[in-house]
Amino acid sequence: MRWTVFRFMPAMTFCAICGAVLGIFRADVCALPGLAGMLAGGIAGYGAGRLGRGDPLRLWAFGQRLWLAFAGALVYGWVQLLVAGAVHATPADSPFYWIFEIADGLLREPFFSMGQTGGVVLRAYSGTLTGGWWIFFNLLDAALFAFLFLVSTGVGLFPDEKSGAEKEVLSGENDDGGDGECENDSGGDDGHEGKTTLEAGRSLFVRAESCGLVPEAPSRLALFGFVAVLLLLFGGSALARYVLDERFDPTTYHPESLRELQRLAEGRWRFDAPDGVLLRTEKDLDLFVQVSGYGSLTAATRGDNPFRLTLDKRGRRFTGLLYPLRPGTEHASSMPLSARLFIASDGSELHLAVTVFTTWGRLDPVLRAVRMDSSMKAP
């Protein structure tokens, strides 16, 4: 338990911090697949190994460090994606929206990396990633993180020139109460100078066994920690996505819920600024919202660029379609657009995000509106 609290959890904290910092960087600048994983793995692994100096070596056997690296890679990769998703997310979207849009090939993420095409010369690569390639390079980044974490943990644990295997034999911190190194018959010289590494290791093991320094059975605490991290990350993420993104069942609504939704959403809202894509007018543009059913909203604008919205409740947000209208009519002027809407918990403002495809690519303008009054006029 002490190792879990004072070694495993700090190591996972190192991994989460590295993932969060790089998640902010990739959201503001670009992704660094491979480079980010190696850098973060080296830093987090050395920090974890540095904490473990002086511990019983059965707690840092190779298998223990391997499962620790796997758990760290999970934490690092998922925290990085969630932080990047949270930075990209608008008030009308959850952090999962950006992740799943890229994984589905609907968004693209810029990246920069370096690699070899032959020989020893490094070459810089840049561009955008989406879909399957984006998933592959995120997995590759996590794998490189795990590898560098594993290597750096050994460096942090064993900073001098002795190998980890030799330390396990010569250490005096075993449960059988060994007092340290035993001198050989020749008075302290190991007597295996010039032998191969395998022969030297066998000689050390035989000499240690005769001194009562048989290595302890390896610990499985990191394996249990890996399983706990796996369940926590995926179970917690599934629950969070259900709360934030899943569509509510109208049969679970009550009259009180309907009245609360009417109080929160119905009324006249005014957009505070044009966005150049949907609102191309400098005039005040009002949005009239009304509840059309349990968990459903309809909204419409008037003026030079009218549109109508039909939305269904999904978690704390509403998703649906935006229909551009011909001025003065109820006929759609073009194909409907994907829309997401979020209303503040105090009912003071709302945010409307719309996905628009233009000749310049995909745009996701976000419009903000403030409440003018709660008197509803038919749009």
Side-chain angles (χ1 to χ4, degrees):
M1 179 60 72
R2 287 180 58 84
W3 187 88
T4 301
V5 174
F6 295 106
R7 298 294 183 265
F8 184 84
M9 293 181 65
M12 295 303 102
T13 302
F14 292 154
C15 298
I17 292 173
C18 290
V21 172
L22 289 169
I24 295 173
F25 180 86
R26 75 185 288 174
D28 290 338
V29 184
C30 67
L32 302 172
L35 298 177
M38 290 187 290
L39 175 64
I43 294 174
Y46 182 81
R50 184 65 182 84
L51 284 176
R53 289 184 191 175
D55 289 353
L57 289 171
R58 70 181 182 85
L59 297 176
W60 293 96
F62 177 78
Q64 181 90 330
R65 301 199 301 270
L66 186 64
W67 287 113
L68 187 67
F70 288 159
L74 280 177
V75 172
Y76 156 78
W78 198 229
V79 168
Q80 183 179 182
L81 289 178
L82 284 179
V83 170
V87 175
H88 279 295
T90 70
D93 299 316
S94 73
F96 298 100
Y97 179 80
W98 176 80
I99 296 173
F100 287 101
E101 287 286 285
I102 291 187
D104 289 339
L106 302 175
L107 285 176
R108 306 183 74 87
E109 182 182 26
F111 80 96
F112 174 84
S113 190
M114 301 187 73
Q116 291 179 337
T117 56
V120 295
V121 178
L122 289 176
R123 177 184 171 187
Y125 295 88
S126 62
T128 58
L129 292 172
T130 187
W133 282 111
W134 182 83
I135 296 173
F136 170 77
F137 278 101
N138 275 284
L139 294 175
L140 178 63
D141 187 66
L144 290 173
F145 175 94
F147 174 73
L148 265 294
F149 185 98
L150 185 62
V151 173
S152 299
T153 302
V155 174
L157 285 168
F158 314 122
D160 56 17
E161 296 181 356
K162 289 183 179 179
S163 68
E166 188 176 355
K167 280 183 169 290
E168 289 193 13
V169 174
L170 297 180
S171 173
E173 296 181 4
N174 293 293
D175 285 342
D176 55 14
D179 294 327
E181 300 183 18
C182 288
E183 296 183 359
N184 57 17
D185 295 336
S186 61
D189 187 5
D190 286 344
H192 57 268
E193 187 173 337
K195 297 181 179 179
T196 64
T197 303
L198 182 60
E199 292 171 340
R202 185 182 296 112
S203 174
L204 284 169
F205 181 80
V206 172
R207 183 162 59 85
E209 191 175 37
S210 64
C211 297
L213 295 179
V214 179
E216 302 175 16
S219 171
R220 295 184 179 180
L221 289 175
L223 172 59
F224 299 144
F226 169 77
V227 174
V229 166
L230 188 66
L231 295 176
L232 181 63
L233 287 181
F234 288 96
S237 298
L239 178 61
R241 193 185 177 206
Y242 177 81
V243 172
L244 293 173
D245 292 342
E246 285 300 312
R247 188 184 303 274
F248 283 0
D249 183 1
T251 61
T252 63
Y253 274 55
H254 301 284
E256 294 79 8
S257 302
L258 179 61
R259 285 192 291 269
E260 176 63 19
L261 182 59
Q262 290 172 331
R263 181 197 66 80
L264 187 69
E266 284 191 343
R268 181 165 62 96
W269 304 78
R270 176 164 295 172
F271 293 106
D272 59 0
D275 71 320
V277 178
L278 291 175
L279 306 183
R280 301 185 180 91
T281 176
E282 296 293 338
K283 300 178 181 178
D284 293 336
L285 186 62
D286 293 340
L287 179 70
F288 296 89
V289 181
Q290 67 183 46
V291 175
S292 57
Y294 286 109
S296 299
L297 299 177
T298 58
T301 63
R302 300 171 178 171
D304 298 332
N305 298 287
F307 57 82
R308 177 179 293 275
L309 291 159
T310 59
L311 303 162
D312 293 318
K313 190 170 179 59
R314 188 179 290 272
R316 296 182 57 202
R317 296 163 175 82
F318 296 84
T319 63
L321 296 174
L322 180 148
Y323 298 88
L325 303 176
R326 295 191 181 95
T329 70
E330 292 296 320
H331 301 292
S333 62
S334 62
M335 295 291 291
L337 306 174
S338 174
R340 292 92 62 198
L341 184 140
F342 172 78
I343 303 176
S345 58
D346 59 356
S348 61
E349 64 179 22
L350 64 79
H351 296 264
L352 174 65
V354 183
T355 300
V356 182
F357 293 94
T358 69
T359 55
W360 296 280
R362 170 173 169 160
L363 301 175
D364 287 273
V366 181
L367 310 175
R368 176 179 176 272
V370 295
R371 180 182 287 279
M372 299 302 295
D373 59 51
S374 58
S375 60
M376 185 62 208
K377 298 178 181 179

Short mmCIF file of all heavy atoms in Angstrom, two decimals, residues 159-211:
data_model
loop_
_atom_site.label_atom_id
_atom_site.label_comp_id
_atom_site.label_asym_id
_atom_site.label_seq_id
_atom_site.Cartn_x
_atom_site.Cartn_y
_atom_site.Cartn_z
N PRO A 159 21.60 5.16 -10.95
CA PRO A 159 22.34 6.23 -11.63
C PRO A 159 23.82 5.92 -11.85
O PRO A 159 24.45 6.56 -12.68
CB PRO A 159 22.17 7.41 -10.68
CG PRO A 159 22.02 6.78 -9.32
CD PRO A 159 21.28 5.50 -9.55
N ASP A 160 24.40 4.97 -11.11
CA ASP A 160 25.82 4.71 -11.28
C ASP A 160 26.05 3.69 -12.39
O ASP A 160 25.15 3.36 -13.16
CB ASP A 160 26.45 4.22 -9.97
CG ASP A 160 25.73 2.99 -9.42
OD1 ASP A 160 24.99 2.35 -10.18
OD2 ASP A 160 25.92 2.68 -8.23
N GLU A 161 27.22 3.16 -12.51
CA GLU A 161 27.58 2.31 -13.64
C GLU A 161 27.18 0.86 -13.46
O GLU A 161 27.26 0.07 -14.39
CB GLU A 161 29.09 2.37 -13.88
CG GLU A 161 29.56 3.77 -14.28
CD GLU A 161 31.05 3.80 -14.53
OE1 GLU A 161 31.69 2.74 -14.31
OE2 GLU A 161 31.57 4.84 -14.93
N LYS A 162 26.77 0.44 -12.27
CA LYS A 162 26.38 -0.95 -12.07
C LYS A 162 25.05 -1.22 -12.74
O LYS A 162 24.15 -0.40 -12.75
CB LYS A 162 26.25 -1.25 -10.58
CG LYS A 162 27.59 -1.29 -9.86
CD LYS A 162 27.38 -1.66 -8.42
CE LYS A 162 28.72 -1.74 -7.67
NZ LYS A 162 28.55 -2.09 -6.27
N SER A 163 24.91 -2.38 -13.30
CA SER A 163 23.67 -2.76 -13.98
C SER A 163 22.59 -3.08 -12.97
O SER A 163 22.88 -3.39 -11.81
CB SER A 163 23.91 -3.98 -14.88
OG SER A 163 24.16 -5.12 -14.09
N GLY A 164 21.34 -3.02 -13.44
CA GLY A 164 20.24 -3.34 -12.54
C GLY A 164 20.30 -4.76 -12.06
O GLY A 164 19.98 -5.07 -10.92
N ALA A 165 20.71 -5.74 -12.92
CA ALA A 165 20.77 -7.14 -12.52
C ALA A 165 21.80 -7.34 -11.42
O ALA A 165 21.59 -8.07 -10.46
CB ALA A 165 21.11 -8.00 -13.74
N GLU A 166 22.94 -6.66 -11.54
CA GLU A 166 23.98 -6.80 -10.54
C GLU A 166 23.52 -6.22 -9.21
O GLU A 166 23.81 -6.76 -8.15
CB GLU A 166 25.25 -6.08 -11.02
CG GLU A 166 26.45 -6.32 -10.13
CD GLU A 166 27.70 -5.68 -10.71
OE1 GLU A 166 27.63 -5.13 -11.82
OE2 GLU A 166 28.72 -5.73 -10.01
N LYS A 167 22.73 -5.12 -9.29
CA LYS A 167 22.25 -4.52 -8.05
C LYS A 167 21.28 -5.44 -7.33
O LYS A 167 21.26 -5.53 -6.12
CB LYS A 167 21.58 -3.18 -8.34
CG LYS A 167 22.58 -2.05 -8.52
CD LYS A 167 21.84 -0.75 -8.73
CE LYS A 167 22.81 0.41 -8.66
NZ LYS A 167 23.30 0.61 -7.30
N GLU A 168 20.43 -6.16 -8.08
CA GLU A 168 19.49 -7.05 -7.44
C GLU A 168 20.20 -8.16 -6.68
O GLU A 168 19.72 -8.65 -5.68
CB GLU A 168 18.56 -7.65 -8.51
CG GLU A 168 17.58 -6.64 -9.08
CD GLU A 168 16.49 -7.32 -9.88
OE1 GLU A 168 16.37 -8.55 -9.76
OE2 GLU A 168 15.77 -6.63 -10.60
N VAL A 169 21.39 -8.55 -7.17
CA VAL A 169 22.13 -9.60 -6.50
C VAL A 169 22.91 -9.07 -5.32
O VAL A 169 22.98 -9.67 -4.25
CB VAL A 169 23.08 -10.27 -7.52
CG1 VAL A 169 23.98 -11.28 -6.83
CG2 VAL A 169 22.28 -10.97 -8.61
N LEU A 170 23.51 -7.87 -5.50
CA LEU A 170 24.40 -7.35 -4.47
C LEU A 170 23.69 -6.54 -3.40
O LEU A 170 24.28 -6.20 -2.39
CB LEU A 170 25.47 -6.47 -5.12
CG LEU A 170 26.40 -7.20 -6.11
CD1 LEU A 170 27.40 -6.21 -6.69
CD2 LEU A 170 27.11 -8.35 -5.44
N SER A 171 22.40 -6.19 -3.63
CA SER A 171 21.70 -5.35 -2.65
C SER A 171 21.49 -6.11 -1.35
O SER A 171 21.26 -7.30 -1.33
CB SER A 171 20.35 -4.92 -3.21
OG SER A 171 19.61 -4.25 -2.23
N GLY A 172 21.54 -5.37 -0.27
CA GLY A 172 21.32 -5.98 1.04
C GLY A 172 19.95 -5.72 1.58
O GLY A 172 19.72 -5.87 2.78
N GLU A 173 18.98 -5.33 0.73
CA GLU A 173 17.65 -4.96 1.20
C GLU A 173 16.64 -6.04 0.90
O GLU A 173 15.54 -5.79 0.43
CB GLU A 173 17.22 -3.64 0.54
CG GLU A 173 18.11 -2.48 0.92
CD GLU A 173 17.62 -1.21 0.25
OE1 GLU A 173 16.58 -1.29 -0.41
OE2 GLU A 173 18.26 -0.19 0.41
N ASN A 174 16.96 -7.29 1.13
CA ASN A 174 16.06 -8.40 0.90
C ASN A 174 15.38 -8.81 2.18
O ASN A 174 15.87 -8.56 3.28
CB ASN A 174 16.81 -9.59 0.31
CG ASN A 174 17.33 -9.29 -1.09
OD1 ASN A 174 16.56 -9.12 -2.02
ND2 ASN A 174 18.65 -9.18 -1.22
N ASP A 175 14.24 -9.49 2.04
CA ASP A 175 13.48 -9.88 3.22
C ASP A 175 14.18 -10.92 4.08
O ASP A 175 13.83 -11.09 5.24
CB ASP A 175 12.12 -10.46 2.79
CG ASP A 175 11.18 -9.36 2.33
OD1 ASP A 175 11.44 -8.19 2.67
OD2 ASP A 175 10.19 -9.68 1.65
N ASP A 176 15.18 -11.65 3.49
CA ASP A 176 15.80 -12.69 4.28
C ASP A 176 16.85 -12.14 5.23
O ASP A 176 17.55 -12.88 5.91
CB ASP A 176 16.42 -13.76 3.38
CG ASP A 176 17.39 -13.15 2.37
OD1 ASP A 176 17.77 -11.97 2.56
OD2 ASP A 176 17.75 -13.84 1.39
N GLY A 177 16.97 -10.82 5.28
CA GLY A 177 17.81 -10.21 6.29
C GLY A 177 19.27 -10.19 5.95
O GLY A 177 20.11 -10.06 6.83
N GLY A 178 19.64 -10.33 4.64
CA GLY A 178 21.04 -10.28 4.26
C GLY A 178 21.67 -8.96 4.66
O GLY A 178 21.04 -7.92 4.62
N ASP A 179 22.92 -8.97 5.02
CA ASP A 179 23.57 -7.77 5.50
C ASP A 179 24.35 -7.03 4.43
O ASP A 179 25.03 -6.07 4.71
CB ASP A 179 24.55 -8.12 6.65
CG ASP A 179 23.81 -8.63 7.86
OD1 ASP A 179 22.67 -8.16 8.07
OD2 ASP A 179 24.35 -9.50 8.56
N GLY A 180 24.29 -7.48 3.19
CA GLY A 180 25.01 -6.76 2.16
C GLY A 180 25.81 -7.73 1.32
O GLY A 180 25.52 -8.90 1.21
N GLU A 181 26.90 -7.23 0.73
CA GLU A 181 27.72 -8.04 -0.15
C GLU A 181 28.57 -9.01 0.67
O GLU A 181 29.02 -8.70 1.76
CB GLU A 181 28.62 -7.15 -0.98
CG GLU A 181 27.86 -6.16 -1.86
CD GLU A 181 28.81 -5.35 -2.72
OE1 GLU A 181 29.97 -5.78 -2.86
OE2 GLU A 181 28.40 -4.30 -3.21
N CYS A 182 28.80 -10.20 0.13
CA CYS A 182 29.70 -11.18 0.73
C CYS A 182 30.98 -11.22 -0.06
O CYS A 182 30.96 -11.24 -1.29
CB CYS A 182 29.06 -12.58 0.72
SG CYS A 182 27.72 -12.78 1.88
N GLU A 183 32.10 -11.21 0.63
CA GLU A 183 33.36 -11.26 -0.06
C GLU A 183 33.63 -12.67 -0.52
O GLU A 183 33.29 -13.65 0.13
CB GLU A 183 34.49 -10.80 0.87
CG GLU A 183 34.35 -9.33 1.29
CD GLU A 183 35.54 -8.90 2.16
OE1 GLU A 183 36.40 -9.77 2.41
OE2 GLU A 183 35.57 -7.75 2.58
N ASN A 184 34.32 -12.81 -1.68
CA ASN A 184 34.64 -14.13 -2.16
C ASN A 184 35.94 -14.62 -1.52
O ASN A 184 36.56 -13.93 -0.71
CB ASN A 184 34.73 -14.13 -3.69
CG ASN A 184 35.76 -13.12 -4.19
OD1 ASN A 184 36.61 -12.67 -3.42
ND2 ASN A 184 35.68 -12.77 -5.47
N ASP A 185 36.33 -15.80 -1.90
CA ASP A 185 37.48 -16.42 -1.26
C ASP A 185 38.77 -15.70 -1.56
O ASP A 185 39.76 -15.86 -0.84
CB ASP A 185 37.61 -17.89 -1.71
CG ASP A 185 36.43 -18.71 -1.23
OD1 ASP A 185 35.81 -18.28 -0.24
OD2 ASP A 185 36.12 -19.74 -1.87
N SER A 186 38.81 -14.92 -2.60
CA SER A 186 40.04 -14.26 -2.96
C SER A 186 40.21 -12.93 -2.30
O SER A 186 41.15 -12.21 -2.57
CB SER A 186 40.13 -14.10 -4.47
OG SER A 186 39.05 -13.30 -4.93
N GLY A 187 39.26 -12.54 -1.43
CA GLY A 187 39.43 -11.32 -0.66
C GLY A 187 38.84 -10.10 -1.29
O GLY A 187 39.39 -9.02 -1.14
N GLY A 188 37.73 -10.22 -1.96
CA GLY A 188 36.99 -9.05 -2.42
C GLY A 188 36.99 -8.87 -3.92
O GLY A 188 36.20 -8.13 -4.45
N ASP A 189 37.93 -9.52 -4.67
CA ASP A 189 37.92 -9.40 -6.11
C ASP A 189 36.84 -10.33 -6.66
O ASP A 189 36.79 -11.50 -6.30
CB ASP A 189 39.29 -9.80 -6.66
CG ASP A 189 39.40 -9.54 -8.15
OD1 ASP A 189 38.44 -8.97 -8.72
OD2 ASP A 189 40.43 -9.91 -8.71
N ASP A 190 35.99 -9.84 -7.54
CA ASP A 190 34.88 -10.65 -8.02
C ASP A 190 35.36 -11.86 -8.78
O ASP A 190 34.67 -12.86 -8.86
CB ASP A 190 33.97 -9.81 -8.93
CG ASP A 190 33.15 -8.84 -8.12
OD1 ASP A 190 33.07 -9.04 -6.90
OD2 ASP A 190 32.62 -7.88 -8.71
N GLY A 191 36.51 -11.78 -9.42
CA GLY A 191 37.09 -12.95 -10.06
C GLY A 191 36.44 -13.33 -11.37
O GLY A 191 36.63 -14.44 -11.83
N HIS A 192 35.64 -12.40 -11.97
CA HIS A 192 35.06 -12.75 -13.26
C HIS A 192 35.46 -11.74 -14.33
O HIS A 192 34.75 -11.52 -15.30
CB HIS A 192 33.52 -12.84 -13.17
CG HIS A 192 32.89 -11.58 -12.66
ND1 HIS A 192 32.63 -11.37 -11.35
CD2 HIS A 192 32.48 -10.48 -13.34
CE1 HIS A 192 32.07 -10.19 -11.20
NE2 HIS A 192 31.97 -9.63 -12.41
N GLU A 193 36.64 -11.10 -14.09
CA GLU A 193 37.10 -10.12 -15.06
C GLU A 193 37.42 -10.82 -16.38
O GLU A 193 38.10 -11.84 -16.43
CB GLU A 193 38.34 -9.43 -14.51
CG GLU A 193 38.81 -8.27 -15.37
CD GLU A 193 39.95 -7.51 -14.70
OE1 GLU A 193 40.05 -7.60 -13.47
OE2 GLU A 193 40.71 -6.85 -15.41
N GLY A 194 36.94 -10.28 -17.48
CA GLY A 194 37.18 -10.85 -18.78
C GLY A 194 36.11 -11.82 -19.23
O GLY A 194 36.13 -12.30 -20.36
N LYS A 195 35.16 -12.20 -18.36
CA LYS A 195 34.10 -13.13 -18.75
C LYS A 195 33.00 -12.39 -19.50
O LYS A 195 32.89 -11.17 -19.43
CB LYS A 195 33.50 -13.80 -17.51
CG LYS A 195 34.49 -14.67 -16.73
CD LYS A 195 33.79 -15.30 -15.55
CE LYS A 195 34.74 -16.19 -14.75
NZ LYS A 195 34.08 -16.79 -13.58
N THR A 196 32.17 -13.15 -20.16
CA THR A 196 31.02 -12.55 -20.83
C THR A 196 30.01 -12.09 -19.79
O THR A 196 30.07 -12.48 -18.62
CB THR A 196 30.35 -13.56 -21.77
OG1 THR A 196 29.81 -14.62 -21.00
CG2 THR A 196 31.36 -14.10 -22.79
N THR A 197 29.07 -11.25 -20.24
CA THR A 197 28.05 -10.76 -19.32
C THR A 197 27.22 -11.89 -18.74
O THR A 197 26.88 -11.90 -17.55
CB THR A 197 27.12 -9.79 -20.07
OG1 THR A 197 27.89 -8.73 -20.63
CG2 THR A 197 26.09 -9.19 -19.12
N LEU A 198 26.85 -12.88 -19.56
CA LEU A 198 26.05 -14.01 -19.09
C LEU A 198 26.82 -14.81 -18.04
O LEU A 198 26.27 -15.17 -16.99
CB LEU A 198 25.67 -14.90 -20.27
CG LEU A 198 24.79 -16.11 -19.94
CD1 LEU A 198 23.47 -15.65 -19.33
CD2 LEU A 198 24.55 -16.95 -21.18
N GLU A 199 28.11 -15.07 -18.31
CA GLU A 199 28.91 -15.82 -17.34
C GLU A 199 29.08 -15.04 -16.05
O GLU A 199 29.04 -15.60 -14.96
CB GLU A 199 30.27 -16.16 -17.95
CG GLU A 199 30.19 -17.16 -19.10
CD GLU A 199 31.52 -17.28 -19.81
OE1 GLU A 199 32.35 -16.35 -19.66
OE2 GLU A 199 31.74 -18.30 -20.50
N ALA A 200 29.29 -13.73 -16.16
CA ALA A 200 29.46 -12.91 -14.97
C ALA A 200 28.18 -12.90 -14.14
O ALA A 200 28.21 -12.99 -12.91
CB ALA A 200 29.83 -11.47 -15.37
N GLY A 201 27.01 -12.79 -14.83
CA GLY A 201 25.75 -12.80 -14.11
C GLY A 201 25.51 -14.11 -13.41
O GLY A 201 25.04 -14.16 -12.27
N ARG A 202 25.83 -15.25 -14.06
CA ARG A 202 25.66 -16.55 -13.44
C ARG A 202 26.58 -16.69 -12.22
O ARG A 202 26.20 -17.20 -11.18
CB ARG A 202 25.95 -17.66 -14.45
CG ARG A 202 25.66 -19.06 -13.91
CD ARG A 202 26.01 -20.13 -14.92
NE ARG A 202 25.17 -20.02 -16.11
CZ ARG A 202 25.64 -19.66 -17.30
NH1 ARG A 202 26.92 -19.37 -17.45
NH2 ARG A 202 24.83 -19.59 -18.33
N SER A 203 27.80 -16.18 -12.34
CA SER A 203 28.75 -16.24 -11.22
C SER A 203 28.24 -15.44 -10.04
O SER A 203 28.32 -15.88 -8.89
CB SER A 203 30.12 -15.73 -11.67
OG SER A 203 31.00 -15.64 -10.58
N LEU A 204 27.71 -14.25 -10.33
CA LEU A 204 27.19 -13.41 -9.26
C LEU A 204 26.02 -14.08 -8.57
O LEU A 204 25.88 -14.03 -7.33
CB LEU A 204 26.75 -12.05 -9.83
CG LEU A 204 27.88 -11.07 -10.18
CD1 LEU A 204 27.31 -9.90 -10.97
CD2 LEU A 204 28.58 -10.59 -8.92
N PHE A 205 25.10 -14.71 -9.37
CA PHE A 205 23.92 -15.34 -8.78
C PHE A 205 24.34 -16.50 -7.86
O PHE A 205 23.81 -16.65 -6.76
CB PHE A 205 22.99 -15.84 -9.88
CG PHE A 205 21.75 -16.49 -9.36
CD1 PHE A 205 20.68 -15.71 -8.95
CD2 PHE A 205 21.65 -17.86 -9.25
CE1 PHE A 205 19.53 -16.29 -8.45
CE2 PHE A 205 20.50 -18.46 -8.76
CZ PHE A 205 19.44 -17.67 -8.36
N VAL A 206 25.28 -17.34 -8.34
CA VAL A 206 25.73 -18.47 -7.52
C VAL A 206 26.38 -17.97 -6.24
O VAL A 206 26.14 -18.49 -5.15
CB VAL A 206 26.69 -19.36 -8.34
CG1 VAL A 206 27.31 -20.42 -7.45
CG2 VAL A 206 25.94 -20.00 -9.50
N ARG A 207 27.22 -16.93 -6.37
CA ARG A 207 27.90 -16.40 -5.18
C ARG A 207 26.90 -15.79 -4.21
O ARG A 207 27.02 -15.94 -2.99
CB ARG A 207 28.92 -15.34 -5.62
CG ARG A 207 29.75 -14.79 -4.47
CD ARG A 207 30.99 -14.10 -4.99
NE ARG A 207 30.68 -13.01 -5.90
CZ ARG A 207 30.41 -11.77 -5.48
NH1 ARG A 207 30.38 -11.51 -4.19
NH2 ARG A 207 30.15 -10.82 -6.34
N ALA A 208 25.86 -15.09 -4.76
CA ALA A 208 24.86 -14.48 -3.88
C ALA A 208 24.02 -15.53 -3.20
O ALA A 208 23.66 -15.41 -2.03
CB ALA A 208 23.97 -13.53 -4.70
N GLU A 209 23.68 -16.63 -3.95
CA GLU A 209 22.87 -17.68 -3.35
C GLU A 209 23.59 -18.33 -2.18
O GLU A 209 22.99 -18.64 -1.15
CB GLU A 209 22.54 -18.71 -4.42
CG GLU A 209 21.48 -19.71 -3.98
CD GLU A 209 21.10 -20.64 -5.11
OE1 GLU A 209 22.00 -21.00 -5.89
OE2 GLU A 209 19.91 -20.98 -5.22
N SER A 210 24.92 -18.51 -2.29
CA SER A 210 25.69 -19.09 -1.18
C SER A 210 25.77 -18.15 -0.01
O SER A 210 26.00 -18.58 1.12
CB SER A 210 27.10 -19.45 -1.67
OG SER A 210 27.80 -18.25 -2.04
N CYS A 211 25.58 -16.85 -0.25
CA CYS A 211 25.60 -15.88 0.85
C CYS A 211 24.23 -15.65 1.44
O CYS A 211 24.07 -14.80 2.33
CB CYS A 211 26.16 -14.54 0.36
SG CYS A 211 27.86 -14.61 -0.21
#
